Every structure is written in C-alpha cells, then in structure tokens.
Amino acid sequence: MTVTEMLGRNYKQIIYLALFASLAIPMINPIGLPIPIDKTTADIYNKIETLQPGDVVVLGSNIGAAIYAEVYPQYVAIMEHVLRKDGVKLLLVDHGTEGPIFTERALQELNVYNRKTYGVDFVHLGFIAGGEAAIAGLCRDLHALLQVDYKGNSISSLPMLDDINGAQDFTIVIDFTASADSQFWLNQAYATYGTAIAFGLTAVKVPDAYAYYTAGQIFGIVESLKGAAGYEILINRPGIAAKGMDAQSIAHLLYIALVLLGNLAYYMGGRKE
Amino acid sequence: MTDLIMALGSTALILMIYTILYRENPAFRIGEHLMVGATVGHAVVLAIFQIRDLAFLKVQQGQILYVVPILLGVALYLQFYRAYKHIARVAIAFMLSVGITLSARGLISVNVIGQIKGAIVPLNSVQNIVYTVGVVCVLLYFVYEERVSKAVGPVPKVGRWLLMVTMGAYFANSIMGRLSIVIGTLNTVLPAPNVYLIPVALLILVADAWTRSKKNQ
C-alpha cells in the first residue's frame, strides 16, 4: 500500500478514538500547561473589582443543556467573584426555560443560600418569557413587569428590590448565552440607558461579539471554556474549566495534525475533485 | 444514595447518546427522546407559570388591560381553524410590530451608529492601523459598482482574504466549542464510579458488533 492510498482511507473510528484519548488522558493525568488569560476576560475581572457596596450586578442566563459545558463554568466563576464583593447586590434573571435549573444549581454549588441573605443580597427572578420585550420591560420597570420572583415571593416583599427599578439602577449586566438575548441587552440596556454590558459566550458566538468589544459597546467577553478557565485562575478558584484546558490544548494539536495529514493526502492524491 | 443514582443515570444517558458514533441504535433513541421529552415538559410547565405570573395575577389585582394580551395569546390558536385564521393574523401582526419597534431603536443605535463610531480610531498603533485597513478593504469588497472596483484595484481582493481569515477564526472557534462540550460531558463521565460504565458500554457495543457479523455471515 502506498502512502497516498494509506492516507486516502477512511479512519473515522480511529479519529474518534484518538480524540477520546487526547481528551480523556490529560483529564485523568493533568499536564499543567499554562492557561493564558485573555484581555477580554481580564476586563470583566477588573470591572467587578471596582464595584462598590450598593452596586447592582445583573447576571442574565440562557444556559441550557446544550451550552452547559461551555458557559456554566463561566457563570459559576463570575458569580463567585461577585459574591466576594461585600455589599454588592446580585440580581439573577433567566432568558431560557432551562436557565432556572442551572441558576439554582450554581447557587447551591457556591453555597450562596448560607453565605448571603436571600432578598437582601441576592434575588433570583427566574425565567421571564418574551425575549426582547421581557428585557425591555425589565429595564424600564421591573416592578411593573413582575409580581413574583422564581420562588413565588412577592417582588414588593424583597428589600433588595426597593431601590432597584430598572436598567438605570443596574451597575453592570453580564449575559451568559449562545442566543440573541445578548443583543437584546445591548439594544435595551446599553443603547437606551447606557448600562455597562459584558457577555459570557459559547465559542461559536465569540467572533460576532468582538465587533461590539472593539467598538467599546461591551466591556468584556468570557470566551467559552478557555475564558472560564482564565477567570477561575484570576479568582484563584481552579474548577472544571481549568481542569479541562490541558485536554483542550492536546485535542487542538490533534486537530492541527489531522488537518495537515488531510492536506497532505489531498496534494499527494493529485488534487482530485 | 440518591446522588449516586443520579450520577450513574446521567452517565448512562450520556453514553447512550454517544453510541450514535457507532451506529443508529435503540439506546441512542431512548436517550434522545428522554432529553427532548424532559426539555419540552419543563418548558410547558414554565410557560403555564409565566401566563399565571405575567398575566392572570395582574388581572386578579385589577389591572384589567392585561386581558388584551391574554386574548391575543388565545387568538394565536385560531391559526388551526380556517374560518377564524384571520383573527390569528391580528395577534401575529401585533407581536411582529411590537418586536420590530422594540428592536429598531436599539439596533440602529448599536449596530449602525455604534459600529461606525467604533470603527473611527486614531492611527497610533499597529492594531488600529490593521483594524482600519481591514474595515476599508472588506467594505470595498462589498461595493459592486464597476468603476469603483476598477479604481481601487486589488483592495477588494485583500478584503476577501481578510474575510477568509475571519471565517477561519469562526471555524476554529466552532471546533473549540464542540471540544468544550465533550470535555463538559467527560467531567461527568470520568470520575469514579461513573467511569465503570464505560467498559460496560464498550462490552455491549462489541457484543452487538459480534452478533451482527454472525448474522451477516
């Protein structure tokens, strides 16, 4: 068998196995490759560091099973950072039906119900249907939009919300998503009220968001698992994202090798159509 | 005990979904249908709560105008009756007009004015120069007027190359995203005792492959 014939064969199962090995082995035996921290991630960290008691942070979430692996570690890392800032109020809102499950999971994972007082330090508004209209309503007057929070408590019974009426009271908004709700926050909170916005995104959505970042319309982006890993390092709480970065780097090397091999086969095979 | 059952259950479901890499099979279909069923069930329950919280509660408190969106919502279902379909169109038109009006203001401000403002940068760094040259080249690529194309020479071609580099970045990001998803599932699958389900799954696949090869003979 010639090299060209060998390269031209279908190695689907072998590629799957190699990919599994390249991901699983570094996760079982971490190599400890350095994790670079992007400027887009550091910008969010620095912004949260400047928050003062009484400031309000809104974390929007459209996390679901499909994007859980990429975005949930970002959500947990940033929520932890906000919780470490004494006196900063945390408002949680979900834009997808699966959002409340993961928000509650993050609150449990970070032991927030024991560390902070519900209704005083943080509130979970839950899922609000309506897409952009819901975000517009939330920005205009959340008391007019909502009667109860995720737990069924009356909005008027939560002391934290006494002084929070809408986007003019939000210090920063960080939206975690792979959908259009990030654009909705820009349209309704940034464009109308000038609220500072940042995104936690899946890798596929990051190139779109760079246009807003370079134009100064958003102050930061957490980019997929890589950004989450960087944030975990910044807050000195390495978690599942940092653990997965060795695997990601090795798998990327495998991809590069496969692309090179594929091109080699293509050129050696006489560039057949 | 509950945690153990939950962990083993989720691992088993992940492995069932991944069996599609071997071939289409009942285990994959069970996992897929459970996933879709659970998601839809949860969404339906949340939708009912939303109607209660955002509309019915307000009507009960005397905000009678909220009857209008409730009626418009009900009208959407008239889509399924030919005689009353035109009423559903009113509700759809209302939703569309509200959606367009809401987005229009923000979209123009963010995607047109904001982006133009953002593209005007001082040429005092290599990054800013590359950025400005990139914007001009790519914009000229989308100018289809013949005289302009001739006047600017190879600039649109540079724009096309820059667009291809951008597509490469998109594709590389897609790969990174897909790998992150696998890493996320491995975070569930690899810790003990979940990991012991992998050899069990492999044994089932090997047995299936062996049975199929016997049948084919």
Side-chain angles (χ1 to χ4, degrees), chain B residues 75 78-93:
Chain B
L78 297 175
Q79 181 76 13
F80 302 112
Y81 303 95
R82 190 171 287 176
Y84 304 106
K85 213 172 179 177
H86 59 282
I87 302 174
R89 286 190 189 137
V90 174
I92 293 168

Side-chain angles (χ1 to χ4, degrees), chain B residues 55 73 84 96 100 114 128-129 149 191 204 214 216:
Chain B
Y84 304 106
L96 277 175
I100 290 167
N128 284 359
I129 292 167
S149 299
I204 294 169
K214 281 279 175 195
N216 289 341

Side-chain angles (χ1 to χ4, degrees), chain B residues 94-151:
Chain B
F94 193 83
M95 279 167 63
L96 277 175
S97 57
V98 169
I100 290 167
T101 313
L102 271 174
S103 341
R105 180 182 54 178
L107 273 176
I108 292 166
S109 164
V110 171
N111 284 353
V112 181
I113 300 166
Q115 287 295 303
I116 292 170
K117 270 188 190 168
I120 302 166
V121 289
L123 300 176
N124 55 6
S125 68
V126 176
Q127 191 182 337
N128 284 359
I129 292 167
V130 172
Y131 178 68
T132 309
V133 170
V135 169
V136 172
C137 292
V138 172
L139 282 176
L140 281 170
Y141 176 70
F142 289 105
V143 174
Y144 303 116
E145 216 282 322
E146 202 181 345
R147 283 166 297 181
V148 177
S149 299
K150 275 182 185 167

